[in-house]
Amino acid sequence: MSKATIATAQLSSCVGCHVSLLDLHERLLDLLEDAIEIDYCYVLVDQKEIPEHVDVAVIEGSIRNEEDLEVAEELREAANIVVAVGTCACYGGVHGLANLYHIDDVLEWVFKETPTTDDEGETPEEVVPEIFDYVRPLPEVIDVDYMLPGCPPKPESIAEVITAIIEDRQPKLPTTNLCEECPREKEDIPIEDIKFRTGQGRPDPDKCLLEQGYPCMGPATVAGCEAACPSRGLPCRGCNGPTKQALDQGAASLDAIASVSFETGVDVEEILKGLVDLPGKLYMFSMAASLLKGHRDVIFGSKGE
């Protein structure tokens, strides 16, 4: 049996998903020996050109500029199967929040106004790919066969997807929300006010963080990380992206907050006033794929102000 050929690529992202791939350690070596051959992967293989054909393309990152788009389209043309790996590829990722701002303002801040800018900064215009007005998730520009969100995805999940493709079966990936795997106890207690992890007390180590008033995205986020943050006292920030049942992760999370306080007389609007940076909190990882799609004209008006 011939090995499946694989190409990987990083678009706009932090390379964390490739690090997660390397975190497979011996499991990766087993796959390389028995089942796969990596033809293109900038962290593993000294190959400058994308092959004309591979069986599987594993793509990390979102579409921020012209180069991202060209690489994505070239890999789609070359591969039988395309896997979007990581929340940036699947839903735009945290830098999708830049969609809230006009691209000129983003460039002005990044290259001229950051505290670490030396002297007078200059926005590069030559020998750099054209930057797009909006961050877009991979499925908006090419057909994607499998979505594996996470920031980054667990190495075991990456291995499961690759193995399932080789074995011609559907990957076994979580479909429930994060609360289903969270060890914290839920008592249907309404939220009375919003608290923050730092500076506002110490959460009860056994009880639901959301019911204690800590804004946890667990109800609107797909499982798969074994509730890594809530089990350690930190509210879920939604980095795994929405469940399939959640049409919009931010709206679903808002609905969860309202539902916890339903029929209790607690004023939900007053609760939400405690949420600093509401769009950033509810759409930290999925703004680019939300119903709003981060379009500032929709949120702030036609002038984007």
Side-chain angles (χ1 to χ4, degrees), residues 129-148:
E130 176 190 356
I131 192 166
F132 296 141
D133 287 347
Y134 294 102
V135 173
R136 286 175 289 175
L138 195 60
E140 284 199 14
V141 300
I142 63 170
D143 291 333
V144 170
D145 299 286
Y146 295 99
M147 301 256 285
L148 180 58

Side-chain angles (χ1 to χ4, degrees), residues 18 34 42 55 57 61 72 74 80 103 109 115 123 130 153 162 164 180 188 210 233 235 241 260-261 288-289 295:
H18 274 78
D34 301 330
Y42 80 105
D55 294 311
E74 191 170 347
N80 294 334
I103 190 61
W109 167 253
T123 303
E130 176 190 356
I162 293 175
E180 297 297 321
D188 295 328
L210 185 59
V260 170
S261 302
H295 289 184

